[in-house]
Amino acid sequence: MSSRGDAARRRGEPRRDALLLARFGSGDGALVLVAVASGARAVPDGHRAARDACEWIGGAIGRSQERLAEDIRAGHRGALESGLHRLTDRSYGRLRARAHELGRHPDQYSAALRCLLLPADPACGTRVFFGVGDGGLFRLRDGVWRDLEHPGPGTGSGTGPGGDRVTVDLGIVAPGPGAAPAPAEPFRFRVCSARPGDALLLCGTGLAEPLRGEPAFGERLAGRWARTAAGAGRAPEPPGLAVFLSDVRLPARGHAADRTACVVWEA
């Protein structure tokens, strides 16, 4: 879901965040893409840049769906990292071109971008994250948040238990020949393996900041999303839609930006 923040409402400004959820292909070879973009602050077209970023990365993933799905199932992490970096750089190249058309500096028509690729094959538990700029990727496991972009001490309610299945670190990859100049922010990439009961949260800056900086907020949200279903040994159940929308908008003092989030609850 994506919701305009209180600060934007007070100023009469549009929501700067954009959210895309798309499925490419069919059967077990299909891919699901979640993209979250946040337009640059204090610029008039930030919301349009965010929509363009989602649209263009979605088109790029759709055109490369078969190869990406094959690389995910085969565990070709190096090919995934370089390929997704190249597609991301090209999407940012289009943003810079649009800025030039509008007579703007590239910084005035840009957006932070966070993406998650999920294979439709139920036998493949690999989850691929990539993006540029601010935002967050978090995992809720056994009632505890773990910041998968900033492993180590604390994301509000502490770090997760041992045995973290993260398999690829964040890093910067040199783009391939002919790629557009890279954006100023580093390219972020991570592959992780899902466990039953995990909740994987992809979000924009408006939710990532209180999760990282307000322990009570993280604990409250974890408590609402980690409730176990009736019956021993069963994984937590996702909340209903109305409850989820309310949870994402939980208040946090000093944090009034847009709230955009997508959560994957692993069966």
Side-chain angles (χ1 to χ4, degrees):
M1 63 82 66
S2 187
S3 174
R4 186 168 61 150
D6 292 339
R9 288 192 182 92
R10 288 194 297 268
R11 295 192 294 263
E13 297 175 352
R15 173 170 48 89
R16 292 185 303 105
D17 283 3
L19 173 66
L20 172 68
L21 177 62
R23 179 187 175 104
F24 302 105
S26 59
D28 288 351
L31 278 182
V32 175
L33 167 70
V34 181
V36 173
S38 299
R41 294 180 180 179
V43 296
D45 291 324
H47 60 295
R48 294 189 176 91
R51 289 200 299 266
D52 282 345
C54 285
E55 177 183 347
W56 291 335
I57 197 63
I61 295 297
R63 290 187 292 272
S64 304
Q65 172 262 326
E66 291 184 3
R67 179 61 182 272
L68 289 169
E70 178 183 336
D71 286 341
I72 291 174
R73 288 195 302 269
H76 296 158
R77 297 191 292 267
L80 282 168
E81 190 171 9
S82 60
L84 291 171
H85 194 169
R86 183 168 57 251
L87 297 180
T88 302
D89 283 349
R90 288 175 179 171
S91 297
Y92 273 88
R94 295 187 66 176
L95 283 175
R96 287 189 291 273
R98 180 61 59 85
H100 179 74
E101 293 171 1
L102 296 172
R104 305 278 180 83
H105 188 275
D107 290 345
Q108 295 181 318
Y109 199 85
S110 189
L113 180 66
R114 285 285 182 284
C115 299
L116 192 62
L117 280 178
L118 308 164
D121 185 351
C124 182
T126 302
R127 308 292 181 249
V128 179
F129 159 80
F130 65 99
V132 171
D134 295 331
L137 177 70
F138 301 87
R139 185 189 62 215
L140 182 62
R141 175 179 291 173
D142 299 327
V144 178
W145 288 109
R146 185 170 182 83
D147 186 343
L148 297 184
E149 290 191 48
H150 302 86
T155 57
S157 55
T159 58
D164 191 356
R165 297 294 184 89
V166 172
T167 56
V168 176
D169 290 331
L170 299 174
I172 302 174
V173 179
E185 296 280 352
F187 177 72
R188 300 178 182 272
F189 176 82
R190 189 175 285 277
V191 175
C192 57
S193 297
R195 293 182 186 175
D198 284 355
L200 197 60
L201 166 64
L202 182 76
C203 61
T205 308
L207 190 55
E209 288 183 345
L211 268 175
R212 291 190 176 113
E214 302 292 336
F217 178 85
E219 291 168 3
R220 186 179 177 192
L221 191 59
R224 294 172 73 97
W225 285 356
R227 294 177 182 143
T228 57
R234 293 180 59 186
E237 293 181 348
L241 179 58
V243 174
F244 175 72
L245 296 176
S246 176
D247 289 346
V248 170
R249 292 197 295 260
L250 284 174
R253 181 173 296 181
H255 299 278
D258 296 345
R259 292 280 181 88
T260 302
C262 181
V263 183
V264 178
W265 274 272
E266 302 289 348

